[in-house]
């Protein structure tokens, strides 16, 4: 794309809307030619670079563009910008978020020219076979430093390079990673082979940036707060002593690092894997240490109000029917209870609150500033700060959408309205959690205040990018003396310097990085294209329950138990399970076709999205938290479809449906008062002729404090009483192989169709009565039945005085008191 051709007034751009900046045009030139990572400081128009590339691609190559951003507010903001800057009808620039129904998204995808979406939505639509990436000619990953591990960007990039006819990827970030290796990982995961870096030192960029003054303000904690912390640390020391006796740590210092705690957890996990009972006890103690560490961190670095709320949530959790022993032990410990009482009686002010108010008064009052942002890690702290600062300033909060920790989130509309009002100057101070850090166009401010140091360089740079763009501003970091804040401070400074130097080095070393990712790039793109999973070759080849022992899979599908099947199917032999189920196998049956019905190219590129033919696996929406559905969706000859299934997690034919449970879930569901495993399996067996239960994981008998014979009894009941095939797998990859094997055997070898049926059964009146009573103060089903048998009706249980409740077997003073408290207390 020549610079002249990319003139700001040409190629689908609204004349005169965009300011002409030479560095943006240079970056767009490069990104239009290759799969490119664009690194540009926050606030200098990375989105404009992507928009220029999109406009050129739509003009030259046609098709459609897909722009991915990590949050709903970002998606909405980018959509507004694209609609203003491009001469494309607004209804052809569409927004895909979880707020848009799946059927509606599928209906508008084909007609859209530009789709701006959150990655999770696109990931789900790809897994559900609702959309095809074949005609997408430009894909942008905003804040692309997230493209690591299991984040949705990684899967979408794999699918895009495999499915698209003419792919072009642009990744954008102000801070792509902590070191060269991280940057290379991002490039490899997204299929990027070119790296373009602009820093504030570049002449083209320098005129658009201003200095940001960073200062650190120390505060001293009052003795009352230190006493709460020290009391909790005594308990941590005691728990570490127990772990030391197990040989997993050499220290009892409560200030040990997170790295040490992670190492300790790894040792305990290995002990559990070897079925050592001390491993389970130690892991429970370790969980208690982590909870106590969180409490001390809150009291040190946040506020006493935060730790008060935390303790209240822990008390509620300890009362629940599924409470962990770690929670129960912690809230019952005398020293912890003493610390709780001190926190509840503290009526002072955390010094960070006072310092924040002083800084705001200086900036907005004495210095004549207009706006300030106060960032905090904790939603509890954000809400407490808004309440405290509102007495002196016009303050609003800005938090994420999810309701969590007893706190209401903000809807997308509420978030956008808050930002619009902040930009318009309708209030002075925005108190925000991390949701405002990444790329969101928060207006320039006179002060950014960190309530606590940010140990991650990426987040710190993103935050400081909110000031110093149009005019000089300052950043202040609050730090409590002699606390974890100081450790985070030094980590943050070290990483900040490292990031700054590495961005400069990255600019110098782009050729080397491009050579590295370029050497691996073609192999990586080939791997994307053929959809194969080399790591899965060995999955399940060992062990009694893996699909490598395909006889289990055959038993799951059934050979001769169904009337009329014996003559038709005959006896299964090992060759029945030797069909190639992995992507890329030339002999695999049922080759996938593209959405235009043509055969896949010889290089193995198969556009599976939008394909209607092939072996189909219906996946329950709730299974998207695992990697199984995504892995299945990339398989040659397999088509996945998402539904909210009434029964089962996977439907593999008209007669085979699978309920999948991890080893922990299996044991938990044995004890679930609301919806037991046997109720689920009963519905499954009534709906499908060949129900299958997959139990995933190698540590089935080490879950919780359950007698192994009770677990064996449950397995026996499933097989004997419910006629369910129970299959064991080692993990998610193993389960994926098993599901693919059974689905292909059912649909290709046995020529069966996929048919979803079944519905949840309605509880009987007695079951409903037990459910109502068991939910009171989480007393559980056994006590609920005893109470109903004693009093006769739900109403009688509800109105019984405490003395009468104590006459019932199994009801002690604590349970009786909780029942009366829940039933008799006023609703607030």
């Amino acid at each position: 794309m020549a610079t002249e051709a990319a003139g700001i007034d040409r190629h689908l751009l609204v004349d005169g809307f965009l300011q002409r900046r030479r560095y943006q045009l240079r970056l767009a030139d490069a990104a239009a030619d290759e799969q490119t990572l664009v690194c540009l400081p926050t606030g200098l128009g990375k989105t404009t670079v992507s928009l220029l590339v999109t406009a050129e691609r739509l003009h030259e190559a046609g098709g459609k563009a897909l722009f991915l951003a990590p949050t709903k507010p970002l998606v909405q903001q980018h959509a507004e910008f694209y609609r203003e800057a491009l001469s494309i009808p607004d209804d052809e620039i569409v927004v895909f978020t979880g707020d848009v129904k799946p059927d509606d998204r599928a209906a508008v995808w084909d007609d859209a020219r530009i789709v701006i979406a959150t990655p999770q939505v696109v990931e789900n639509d790809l897994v559900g076979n609702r959309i095809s990436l074949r005609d997408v000619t430009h894909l942008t990953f905003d804040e692309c430093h997230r493209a690591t591990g299991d984040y949705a960007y990684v899967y979408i990039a794999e699918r895009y390079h495999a499915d698209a006819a003419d792919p072009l990827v642009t990744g954008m970030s102000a801070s792509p990673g902590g070191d060269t290796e991280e940057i290379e990982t991002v490039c490899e995961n997204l299929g990027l082979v070119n790296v373009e870096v602009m820093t504030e030192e570049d002449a083209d960029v320098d005129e658009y940036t201003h200095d940001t003054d960073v200062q650190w303000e120390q505060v001293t904690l009052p003795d009352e707060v230190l006493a709460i912390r020290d009391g909790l640390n005594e308990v941590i020391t005691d728990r570490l002593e127990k772990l030391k006796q197990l040989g997993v740590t050499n220290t009892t210092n409560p200030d040990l690092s997170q790295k040490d705690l992670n190492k300790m957890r790894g040792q305990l996990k290995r002990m559990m894997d070897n079925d050592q009972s001390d491993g389970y006890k130690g892991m429970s103690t370790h969980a208690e240490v982590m909870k106590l560490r969180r409490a001390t961190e809150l009291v040190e670095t946040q506020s006493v109000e935060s730790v008060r709320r935390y303790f209240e949530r822990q008390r509620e959790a300890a009362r629940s029917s599924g409470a962990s022993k770690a929670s129960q032990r912690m809230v019952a410990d005398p020293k912890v209870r003493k610390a709780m009482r001190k926190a509840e009686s503290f009526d002072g002010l955390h010094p960070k609150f006072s310092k924040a108010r002083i800084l705001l008064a200086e900036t907005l009052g004495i210095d004549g500033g207009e706006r300030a942002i106060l960032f905090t890690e904790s939603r509890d702290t954000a809400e407490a700060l808004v309440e405290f600062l509102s007495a002196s300033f016009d303050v609003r909060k800005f938090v994420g959408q999810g309701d969590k920790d007893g706190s209401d989130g903000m809807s997308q509309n509420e978030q956008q309205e808050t930002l619009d009002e902040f930009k318009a100057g309708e209030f002075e101070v925005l108190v925000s959690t991390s949701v405002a850090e990444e790329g969101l166009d928060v207006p320039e401010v006179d002060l950014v205040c960190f309530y606590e140091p940010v140990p991650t360089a990426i987040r710190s740079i993103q935050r400081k990018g909110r000031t110093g763009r149009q005019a000089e501003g300052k950043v202040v970091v609050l730090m409590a003396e002699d606390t974890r804040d100081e450790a985070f401070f030094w980590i943050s400074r070290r990483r900040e310097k490292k990031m700054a130097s590495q961005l400069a080095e990255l600019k110098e070393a782009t050729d080397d990085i491009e050579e590295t990712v370029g050497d691996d790039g073609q192999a990586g793109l080939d791997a994307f294209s053929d959809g194969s999973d080399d790591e899965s070759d060995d999955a399940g080849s060992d062990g009694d329950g893996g699909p490598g022992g395909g006889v289990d899979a055959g038993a799951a599908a059934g050979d001769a138990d169904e009337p009329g099947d014996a003559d038709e199917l005959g006896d299964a032999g090992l060759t029945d399970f030797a069909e190639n189920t992995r992507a890329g196998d030339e002999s695999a049956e049922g080759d996938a076709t593209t959405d235009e019905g043509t055969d896949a190219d010889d290089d193995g590129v198969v556009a599976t999205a939008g394909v209607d033919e092939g072996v189909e696996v219906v996946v329950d929406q709730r299974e998207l938290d695992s990697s199984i559905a995504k892995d299945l969706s990339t398989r040659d000859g397999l088509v996945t479809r998402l539904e909210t299934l009434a029964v089962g997690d996977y439907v593999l034919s008209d007669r085979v449906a699978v309920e999948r449970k991890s080893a922990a879930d299996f044991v938990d569901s044995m004890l679930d008062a609301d919806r037991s495993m046997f109720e689920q399996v009963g519905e499954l067996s009534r709906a499908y002729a060949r129900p299958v239960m997959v139990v995933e994981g190698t540590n089935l008998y080490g879950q919780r404090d359950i007698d192994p014979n009770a677990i064996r009894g449950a397995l026996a009941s499933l097989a004997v009483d419910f006629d369910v095939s129970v299959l064991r797998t080692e993990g998610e990859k193993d389960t994926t192989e098993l599901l693919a094997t059974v689905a292909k055997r059912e649909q290709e070898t046995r020529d069966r169709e996929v048919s979803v049926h079944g519905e949840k059964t309605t509880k009987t009146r007695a079951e409903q009565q037990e459910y109502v009573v068991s939910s009171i103060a989480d007393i559980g089903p056994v006590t609920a039945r005893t109470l109903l048998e004693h009093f006769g009706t739900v109403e009688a249980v509800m109105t019984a005085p405490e003395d009468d409740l104590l006459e019932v077997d199994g009801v002690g003073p604590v349970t009786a008191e909780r029942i009366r408290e829940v039933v008799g207390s006023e609703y607030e």
Side-chain angles (χ1 to χ4, degrees):
M1 179 173 68
T3 301
E4 294 78 6
I8 297 303
D9 296 327
R10 300 180 64 180
H11 294 336
L12 302 179
L13 302 182
V14 173
D15 289 346
F17 180 80
L18 295 174
Q19 179 186 11
R20 186 183 185 91
R21 294 187 180 183
R22 190 180 306 165
Y23 68 87
Q24 290 176 334
L25 296 174
R26 287 172 54 195
L27 291 169
D29 283 346
D33 292 333
E34 287 186 283
Q35 325 287 345
T36 300
L37 168 63
V38 174
C39 298
L40 189 64
T42 297
L44 292 172
K46 293 183 296 296
T47 307
T48 299
V49 174
S50 176
L51 182 141
L52 292 172
V53 179
T54 290
E56 183 69 13
R57 286 288 283 178
L58 293 180
H59 176 75
E60 295 291 341
K64 68 183 66 192
L66 175 59
F67 188 112
L68 298 175
T71 65
K72 292 179 182 178
L74 265 178
V75 166
Q76 198 62 46
Q77 178 179 291
H78 289 315
E80 292 174 5
F81 175 60
Y82 269 55
R83 286 167 181 157
E84 290 176 348
L86 294 170
S87 59
I88 293 175
D90 285 358
D91 60 359
E92 294 182 14
I93 301 175
V94 300
V95 167
F96 274 27
T97 69
D99 295 334
V100 184
K101 294 180 179 179
D103 289 343
D104 294 338
R105 295 197 302 267
V108 301
W109 173 269
D110 289 338
D111 296 329
R113 294 187 71 185
I114 298 176
V115 177
I116 303 176
T118 51
Q120 292 78 13
V121 167
V122 173
E123 179 182 62
N124 291 351
D125 285 349
L126 287 172
V127 172
N129 199 37
R130 298 187 188 109
I131 62 174
S132 169
L133 298 177
R134 181 175 178 79
D135 297 328
V136 174
T137 53
H138 185 218
L139 172 54
T140 300
F141 292 97
D142 191 24
E143 311 299 344
C144 70
H145 51 265
R146 289 170 170 253
T148 59
D150 293 330
Y151 192 66
Y153 278 1
V154 179
Y155 168 77
I156 294 169
E158 178 183 355
R159 288 295 300 268
Y160 181 57
H161 286 292
D163 295 355
D166 185 15
L168 180 69
V169 175
T170 303
M172 303 191 304
S173 180
S175 39
D179 55 38
T180 301
E181 186 175 339
E182 288 183 27
I183 295 166
E184 289 174 356
T185 297
V186 169
C187 289
E188 289 166 2
N189 286 343
L190 298 182
L192 306 176
V193 296
N194 180 43
V195 179
E196 296 291 332
V197 182
M198 291 279 184
T199 70
E200 294 181 0
E201 306 303 318
D202 288 297
D204 290 349
V205 177
D206 181 67
E207 62 181 294
Y208 299 101
T209 63
H210 301 273
D211 292 336
T212 298
D213 175 34
V214 182
Q215 62 189 65
W216 285 265
E217 293 281 350
Q218 277 194 321
V219 300
T220 302
L221 296 180
D223 292 339
E224 299 94 324
V225 174
L226 292 174
I228 298 171
R229 179 198 67 179
D230 293 344
L232 294 173
N233 277 340
E234 286 182 29
V235 185
I236 294 176
T237 299
D238 174 71
R239 302 302 187 263
L240 288 174
E241 179 62 41
K242 293 181 179 179
L243 292 171
K244 185 178 180 181
Q245 291 172 9
L246 295 179
V248 296
T249 181
N250 293 319
T251 181
T252 59
N253 183 349
D255 292 326
L256 78 170
S257 69
Q258 186 61 46
K259 183 178 179 181
D260 290 335
L261 285 166
N262 292 342
K263 183 179 178 182
M264 200 184 306
R265 190 177 188 280
Q267 290 178 266
L268 290 167
K269 189 174 185 306
R270 284 191 290 274
M271 292 170 68
M272 291 170 60
D273 291 341
N274 293 326
D275 286 329
Q276 294 176 250
S277 59
D278 284 346
Y280 304 112
K281 296 175 183 176
M283 190 64 84
S284 180
T285 303
H286 183 275
E288 195 177 352
V289 170
M290 296 297 290
K291 291 176 185 293
L292 289 163
R293 287 257 301 185
R294 177 59 178 160
T296 59
E297 183 180 327
L298 288 173
V299 76
E300 281 186 341
T301 69
Q302 298 296 315
S303 66
V304 176
E305 175 61 23
S306 293
V307 83
R308 268 200 296 258
R309 296 187 186 190
Y310 179 75
F311 280 147
E312 181 56 37
R313 289 194 291 271
Q314 292 301 315
R315 276 197 293 260
E316 289 298 322
R319 291 172 184 162
S320 67
S321 58
S324 69
K325 291 198 172 183
S327 293
Q328 293 173 336
R329 278 198 311 272
M330 185 182 79
V331 300
D333 188 283
K335 291 180 180 178
V336 173
R337 295 174 73 88
K338 183 178 179 181
M340 287 181 181
R341 290 194 294 272
K342 287 182 178 179
E344 288 164 357
S345 63
F346 179 75
D347 58 359
L349 197 63
H350 197 287
K352 286 188 179 182
F353 277 56
S354 304
K355 178 60 72 173
R357 182 169 58 186
I358 292 170
L359 289 168
L360 290 170
E362 290 175 348
T363 302
L364 303 177
I366 299 172
D367 297 337
E370 297 179 356
R371 283 185 293 252
I373 296 179
L374 180 56
F375 280 113
T376 177
E377 301 286 283
S378 164
R379 189 180 288 188
D380 285 342
T381 300
E383 293 178 345
L385 280 167
V386 169
E387 184 178 349
F388 169 70
L389 295 172
S390 292
S392 307
F393 309 97
D394 194 352
V395 187
R396 307 279 177 83
K397 74 174 182 180
F398 190 86
V399 299
Q401 298 184 51
D403 297 340
K404 62 179 183 179
D405 295 342
S407 169
D408 294 333
M410 295 175 68
S411 69
Q412 182 179 342
N413 288 338
E414 288 173 331
Q415 289 175 335
Q416 194 59 52
E417 287 172 8
T418 300
L419 286 181
D420 291 342
E421 290 169 1
F422 191 45
K423 292 176 187 176
E426 295 184 23
F427 63 95
E428 305 166 287
V429 181
L430 185 70
V431 178
S432 175
T433 54
S434 60
V435 70
E437 291 172 5
E438 289 186 297
L440 203 60
D441 189 19
V442 176
E444 293 75 20
V445 295
D446 303 289
L447 168 70
V448 169
C449 180
F450 291 173
Y451 190 81
E452 64 282 301
V454 183
T456 303
I458 290 173
R459 299 183 71 190
S460 189
I461 287 176
Q462 296 284 1
R463 286 181 171 182
K464 287 192 288 188
R466 301 295 141 227
T467 185
R469 289 186 286 185
Q470 300 289 333
E472 293 188 3
K474 67 178 179 180
V475 173
V476 177
V477 183
L478 302 182
M479 180 169 54
E481 189 178 2
D482 191 28
T483 69
R484 286 177 176 79
D485 272 351
E486 290 192 340
F488 289 161
F489 162 71
W490 291 111
I491 293 171
S492 182
R493 288 201 71 179
R494 184 172 67 249
R495 290 182 178 174
E496 288 276 328
K497 291 179 179 179
K498 185 177 180 182
M499 176 68 82
S501 65
Q502 284 180 336
L503 281 176
E505 292 169 7
L506 174 61
K507 187 174 178 62
E508 296 295 326
T510 52
D511 289 342
D512 293 336
I513 293 175
E514 287 168 6
E515 184 177 350
T516 300
V517 298
D519 289 343
D520 297 335
Q522 190 57 50
L525 293 178
D526 289 343
F528 283 142
S529 298
D530 66 22
S532 61
D533 185 354
D534 293 338
E535 292 180 5
S536 70
D537 286 347
D538 294 329
S541 59
D542 298 319
D544 295 335
V551 175
D552 287 336
D559 289 325
D561 292 337
E562 188 175 320
D565 273 0
D567 293 336
E568 174 194 349
L569 302 182
D571 293 330
L574 291 178
T575 55
D576 288 328
F577 306 96
E579 302 160 17
N580 292 305
T581 60
R582 296 182 181 85
D585 286 341
E586 295 178 2
S587 59
E589 296 184 38
D591 290 339
T593 58
T594 66
D595 53 351
E596 295 181 354
T598 59
D599 291 335
D601 294 334
D602 292 339
D603 62 2
V605 178
V606 179
T608 54
V611 175
D612 294 324
E613 297 180 5
V615 172
E616 184 178 36
V617 176
V618 181
V619 183
D620 184 71
Q621 296 268 10
R622 288 154 291 201
E623 281 293 292
L624 289 174
D625 288 339
S626 78
S627 64
I628 294 171
K630 288 187 288 187
D631 289 346
L632 287 170
S633 72
T634 62
R635 296 298 181 95
D636 239 359
L638 279 180
V639 177
T640 48
R641 174 160 56 95
L642 289 180
E643 286 194 17
T644 302
L645 297 177
V647 295
D649 296 321
Y650 300 89
V651 177
L652 307 181
S653 73
D654 60 333
R655 63 177 185 169
V656 178
V658 178
E659 180 77 24
R660 181 184 76 96
K661 292 191 180 297
S662 69
D665 288 341
F666 183 87
V667 173
D668 288 344
S669 63
M670 290 170 57
L671 311 173
D672 191 346
D674 180 17
R675 180 166 161 77
S676 76
M677 172 179 61
F678 298 106
E679 181 182 338
Q680 292 174 304
V681 167
E683 292 169 349
L684 191 69
S685 62
R686 284 190 290 273
Y688 294 92
R690 295 290 183 264
V692 177
M693 167 74 77
V694 170
V695 182
E696 189 176 276
T698 58
N699 191 30
L700 179 60
Y701 298 108
Q703 302 297 323
R704 300 176 68 166
D705 289 333
I706 304 296
D707 187 334
N709 282 331
I711 298 173
R712 295 184 184 102
L715 294 171
S717 177
L718 291 173
V720 176
D721 300 331
F722 291 88
D723 198 23
V724 172
S725 298
V726 181
L727 306 180
R728 300 284 305 279
T729 61
E730 295 179 358
E732 290 186 357
K733 285 186 177 297
D734 199 2
T735 302
T736 302
E737 296 290 346
L738 176 61
L739 294 175
T741 300
V742 177
K744 287 200 169 189
R745 183 173 186 270
E746 281 289 282
Q747 296 175 46
E748 291 183 345
T749 307
R750 306 307 183 198
D751 198 25
R752 305 194 75 99
E753 300 289 333
V754 172
S755 175
V756 176
H757 38 274
E759 58 184 22
K760 288 185 173 66
T761 55
T762 304
K763 292 180 184 291
T764 65
R765 179 185 295 173
E767 288 172 338
Q768 293 180 58
Q769 291 170 323
E770 290 170 6
Y771 175 67
V772 170
V773 175
S774 69
S775 67
I776 304 172
D778 297 313
I779 62 175
V782 175
T783 305
R785 280 192 289 272
T786 306
L787 285 165
L788 285 166
E789 288 168 359
H790 182 90
F791 290 103
T793 67
V794 173
E795 182 179 16
V797 174
M798 298 292 190
T799 57
E802 191 169 324
D803 289 342
D804 290 353
L805 291 170
L806 288 170
E807 295 177 5
V808 180
D809 289 341
V811 177
V814 174
T815 300
E817 181 184 351
R818 274 170 32 207
I819 292 174
R820 291 308 315 148
E821 179 186 356
V822 171
V823 175
S825 298
E826 217 173 288
Y827 174 70
E828 297 180 2

